[in-house]
Amino acid sequence: MTTQENATADPALSTTPQVSFVVAGAQKAGTRALRNYLSQHPDIGLSRDTIPETHFFDQHAKEAEAGRYDIYHANFDAEALRKPAVGDVTPLYIFDPAILPRIRRYNPGMKIIVLLRDPVARAYSQWAMQHDLGLERRAFVAALLHELYWFCRYGQHILFSYVQRGLYAGQITRLLTQFPPEQCLILRTEDLRVAHAQTLARIHRFLGVCVQEAPPPKTVHSRSYPAISPPLRWVLRQVFRRDIRKLEQMLGWDCRDWRAPLP
């Protein structure tokens, strides 16, 4: 059998677009829980459980630029690639400006799902995760100051990005320059919690699969940590306020709960 015949026989080796949607972000906004829900749908295929985030379009940028999509598809079982909807859940994709053009080059018709969370809560949750993993040794305030220092001196950093990842308006603007609005589904994390079944049904319809009964809500990777002090909470609300206003104008949302002091 020739190499070309092998590629045709095994979907994992194919270089043609087969992944039809990505959950592109945001980090610590419920993407892992959404992956769990999507994995229970019979018509949705995802990357292997051992590879919950493929990171193909960032960690394998050279291969992506060269069109080596066989490496990408190797993250999926052949059975998953034969499903009507095949997805990649990698929240970094919305944050790094270089990634979305690579995704569009792979599949111009890609559907993009984005979950957005209260940016103050999201920033604190990211810090707590990285602190628990030993990736961040600074206290939260020190980590925020270090992020500012690093950004002013060197630019964007993947890990030290507590505030930057929560500045959603610019990220959504970039998304909509790469993909038309009808290929993008932008949701609030709260939607999965307060309107669980309705939100999953909306996602199913967006992906073009039959609407299934929603699995029970599930909390994934939740951590317990002390609350943010009221003064710091107020400062961060001011940092994000203008960006939230822009996001509301762009999407027609009402995010007054993101602008108000946290309980």
Side-chain angles (χ1 to χ4, degrees):
M1 184 177 288
T2 66
T3 303
Q4 181 61 42
E5 288 171 333
N6 267 318
T8 302
D10 186 352
L13 298 178
S14 174
T15 58
T16 58
Q18 297 185 68
V19 178
S20 58
F21 75 93
V22 297
V23 178
Q27 186 188 44
K28 305 306 295 179
T31 56
R32 191 60 64 90
L34 179 56
R35 174 188 163 87
N36 178 270
Y37 302 142
L38 295 177
S39 71
Q40 299 179 56
H41 194 292
D43 292 335
I44 295 176
L46 299 171
S47 60
R48 295 185 180 93
D49 290 341
T50 55
I51 313 173
E53 300 177 9
T54 73
H55 284 283
F56 175 75
F57 293 102
D58 57 291
Q59 294 181 3
H60 297 276
K62 290 183 179 179
E63 290 84 354
E65 295 288 351
R68 289 294 313 278
Y69 300 131
D70 56 315
I71 297 174
Y72 184 34
H73 297 155
N75 293 295
F76 301 78
D77 291 328
E79 181 181 356
L81 289 172
R82 284 191 284 266
K83 300 281 188 177
V86 182
D88 174 0
V89 182
T90 306
L92 177 65
Y93 288 169
I94 193 67
F95 180 59
D96 186 336
I99 291 177
L100 291 174
R102 295 177 192 141
I103 295 175
R104 186 182 65 177
R105 202 172 299 123
Y106 166 74
N107 183 3
M110 188 76 84
K111 294 182 178 181
I112 312 291
I113 299 174
V114 178
L115 288 173
L116 301 180
R117 180 183 180 185
D118 175 338
V120 175
R122 196 222 64 80
Y124 195 41
S125 181
Q126 180 190 346
W127 168 80
M129 176 189 70
Q130 293 180 183
H131 193 270
D132 287 352
L133 294 173
L135 300 173
E136 175 63 88
R137 297 183 178 181
R138 303 170 188 84
F140 187 44
V141 173
L144 295 174
L145 293 173
H146 178 259
E147 175 187 358
L148 178 61
Y149 162 80
W150 187 282
F151 180 77
C152 291
R153 186 160 187 176
Y154 303 110
Q156 180 176 288
H157 192 283
I158 296 301
L159 288 178
F160 310 138
S161 51
Y162 310 107
V163 170
Q164 295 166 68
R165 285 181 187 253
L167 296 172
Y168 300 136
Q171 297 175 63
I172 298 303
T173 297
R174 286 199 305 266
L175 171 64
L176 295 176
T177 63
Q178 297 294 323
F179 295 94
E182 61 269 19
Q183 288 177 218
C184 303
L185 181 60
I186 305 167
L187 302 166
R188 289 171 32 126
T189 300
E190 294 90 335
D191 296 337
L192 275 177
R193 185 176 66 252
V194 303
H196 180 70
Q198 298 93 319
T199 301
L200 282 178
R202 185 180 176 189
I203 292 171
H204 292 162
R205 287 191 291 268
F206 174 70
L207 296 178
V209 298
C210 62
V211 175
Q212 294 278 303
E213 181 178 353
K218 183 177 182 179
T219 300
V220 179
H221 286 182
S222 177
R223 287 172 169 80
S224 298
Y225 34 81
I228 305 174
S229 67
L232 178 56
R233 181 193 313 157
W234 182 88
V235 169
L236 288 173
R237 284 294 191 224
Q238 307 317 305
V239 169
F240 288 115
R241 185 177 295 273
R242 179 177 296 181
D243 190 78
I244 292 171
R245 289 288 195 187
K246 290 181 181 178
L247 188 73
E248 289 177 314
Q249 293 173 1
M250 290 172 56
L251 301 178
W253 285 5
D254 179 354
C255 297
R256 70 184 69 185
D257 53 329
W258 290 5
R259 291 183 275 105
L262 290 170

